Amino acid sequence: MKPVVAAAALLVAHFTATSVSGTAARTCGTVTATNATYSGPSMTIRAHSAIDARTGMGVVAGTLKSPTMTAQFSAVYDHGAISGTASGSMGARTLIASLSAVFSPQGGFTQGVIGVRGSGGSLAVIPACAALPQKLLRHVQGIITSVNASEVTIHGLTCAVPLKLGIGVAVNYPIRSWAAMTCSVSNGVATLVTIRAKR
């Protein structure tokens, strides 16, 4: 019997979190890693970011907490904007959603949206009685065996590369180099969320 999943695509949450506290940062070459807490009217975000000033690319990950939701998220940072996924709970229900925002380590999150509608994103609320998908995100690390602007393969996992990440992946992650990546899986299709090279 297939699990019953209730998809509530009309649920879209907007957030801002620009009050910054507890900041700790360190720099390695052109990459700056920052840990901080960002607070707003209805959202508190604890986030770790690692951003390369040379390429304008990076990753942002952490936790989201509001009066109605608790979730973890991971996202790609691209010249001031982030795009990724969040997973957590809304009361007794499980939340799986896309996430986007304008972000800076010093200024926090603005124009934040969870469950973007009409832009390739979605939000699904799964009843507590429904079985959960076994794999929503896949994490692999190893040698890149194939790469171009549209897809990348590591350890047998091939992930489609979103258009805005294509050039950066093709240029900065050559074949036979080591990398770790996270891909979201939907309807059997894996799509790159984050990738990082061995430092």
Side-chain angles (χ1 to χ4, degrees):
M1 179 178 173
K2 293 183 178 179
V4 177
V5 177
L10 291 175
L11 291 178
V12 179
H14 298 265
F15 66 91
T16 297
T18 55
S19 178
V20 187
S21 62
T23 302
R26 63 185 179 86
T27 300
C28 179
T30 59
V31 177
T32 298
T34 305
N35 288 303
T37 298
Y38 304 90
S39 302
S42 61
M43 183 74 73
T44 299
I45 303 172
R46 298 183 186 275
H48 170 77
S49 61
I51 298 171
D52 190 331
R54 179 178 60 87
T55 63
M57 303 291 292
V59 295
V60 184
T63 60
L64 309 166
K65 188 171 184 179
S66 75
T68 59
M69 178 195 70
T70 301
Q72 296 181 329
F73 75 95
S74 59
V76 172
Y77 174 93
D78 186 351
H79 296 87
I82 65 168
S83 177
T85 58
S87 60
S89 61
M90 294 179 67
R93 300 175 297 172
T94 295
L95 167 72
I96 307 296
S98 56
L99 175 145
S100 66
V102 173
F103 171 76
S104 74
Q106 301 78 25
F109 297 79
T110 59
Q111 301 178 39
V113 185
I114 299 173
V116 185
R117 216 179 161 210
S119 300
S122 62
L123 181 151
V125 178
I126 303 174
C129 59
L132 296 177
Q134 292 301 305
K135 290 187 178 179
L136 300 169
L137 293 176
R138 291 196 61 185
H139 309 274
V140 295
Q141 59 183 6
I143 301 299
I144 297 174
T145 55
S146 175
V147 63
N148 55 50
S150 61
E151 64 179 29
V152 56
T153 301
I154 298 176
H155 213 289
L157 175 64
T158 298
C159 298
V161 178
L163 183 61
K164 67 179 182 179
L165 301 179
I167 294 177
V169 170
V171 171
N172 297 313
Y173 298 91
I175 194 169
R176 291 187 291 277
S177 63
W178 186 99
M181 70 177 180
T182 298
C183 300
S184 62
V185 181
S186 177
N187 296 323
V189 178
T191 302
L192 182 69
V193 176
T194 63
I195 186 169
R196 63 180 178 84
K198 186 175 183 179
R199 306 206 185 282

